[in-house]
Amino acid sequence: DAGITQSPRHKVTETGTPVTLRCHQTENHRYMYWYRQDPGHGLRLIHYSYGVKDTDKGEVSDGYSVSRSKTEDFLLTLESATSSQTSVYFCAISEARTQGSTDTQYFGPGTRLTVL
Amino acid sequence: AQKVTQAQTEISVVEKEDVTLDCVYETRDTTYYLFWYKQPPSGELVFLIRRNSFDEQNEISGRYSWNFQKSTSSFNFTITASQVVDSAVYFCALSSYNQGGKLIFGQGTELSVKP
């Protein structure tokens, strides 16, 4: 199994509070991704990173920001959480040797976030 | 635009039956990759297979097999002699070089295998 951990695994927070989710990898993979999973939508890409300090938006990026200061860590921040951001968040990594590569993505265990 | 459609939201079978999960995709790219992932009740996402657009050969891995047909833009997944442990949500996904390798997921098919 790919060495990917996510923290916290569960979080309950209130509307308007900031929340940061952490993804940590031990594989030294270049690409890291944040997805959210909601019923009826499968998984949708929020943001991704193709290297330290290199990030880009995905399909559902509004209300989220990311940072990657080290290869092994990719942080997802909800600046002011809303109830619509209640979801399960998955981090993924990919070796992706060149930009635009389509290597397999391996997923972390997920974080269940509830915004009241 | 790229799209993946899994028309079967839920499937229920009895153990030992064969079951096929359908996946239809849309892309204008000529180089692309198709994936299947399994999400068991415990919630993690498990990678099953990756197939590139230039390889239409069917693949078999134990009780699992995949049928890739470019003519119908389909990448179907068959489980032979299903078992209770196969109960999970299965996702089909698409990525392409021109889209930066981003994964586009279908909505998933929930398979329930009853003893």
Side-chain angles (χ1 to χ4, degrees), chain B residues 17-61:
Chain B
E17 285 185 17
D18 299 346
V19 57
T20 295
L21 310 182
D22 297 333
C23 173
V24 174
Y25 62 92
E26 296 176 27
T27 180
R28 293 184 179 179
D29 295 328
T30 56
T31 303
Y32 55 89
Y33 292 79
L34 295 162
F35 302 80
W36 278 94
Y37 286 86
K38 174 182 179 179
Q39 187 175 42
S42 51
E44 72 272 25
L45 281 154
V46 179
F47 164 71
L48 295 178
I49 189 170
R50 172 177 179 261
R51 171 68 72 200
N52 76 58
S53 53
F54 299 106
D55 182 2
E56 287 193 69
Q57 207 167 14
N58 290 337
E59 175 130 355
I60 298 174
S61 176

Side-chain angles (χ1 to χ4, degrees), chain B residues 10-21 38 41 63-64 79-90 109-115:
Chain B
E10 298 178 8
I11 300 176
S12 182
V13 299
V14 177
E15 208 170 18
K16 298 184 183 174
E17 285 185 17
D18 299 346
V19 57
T20 295
L21 310 182
K38 174 182 179 179
R63 297 184 297 105
Y64 294 173
I79 302 174
T80 302
S82 59
Q83 300 176 1
V84 172
V85 293
D86 295 325
S87 296
V89 180
Y90 291 87
T109 296
E110 184 173 2
L111 174 65
S112 175
V113 181
K114 301 188 186 306

Side-chain angles (χ1 to χ4, degrees), chain A residues 33 35 37 40 42-43 45 48 57 90 99-107, chain B residues 33 35 37 39 43 45 47 50 91 95-97 100-103 105-107:
Chain A
Y33 307 81
Y35 292 87
Q37 182 179 16
L43 281 84
L45 181 65
Y48 69 102
K57 296 179 179 180
F90 285 96
Q99 188 168 353
S101 175
T102 52
D103 289 357
T104 298
Q105 293 182 26
Y106 295 94
F107 287 80
Chain B
Y33 292 79
F35 302 80
Y37 286 86
Q39 187 175 42
L45 281 154
F47 164 71
R50 172 177 179 261
F91 291 97
S95 72
S96 68
Y97 187 83
K102 300 170 202 174
L103 271 177
F105 282 85
Q107 295 162 314

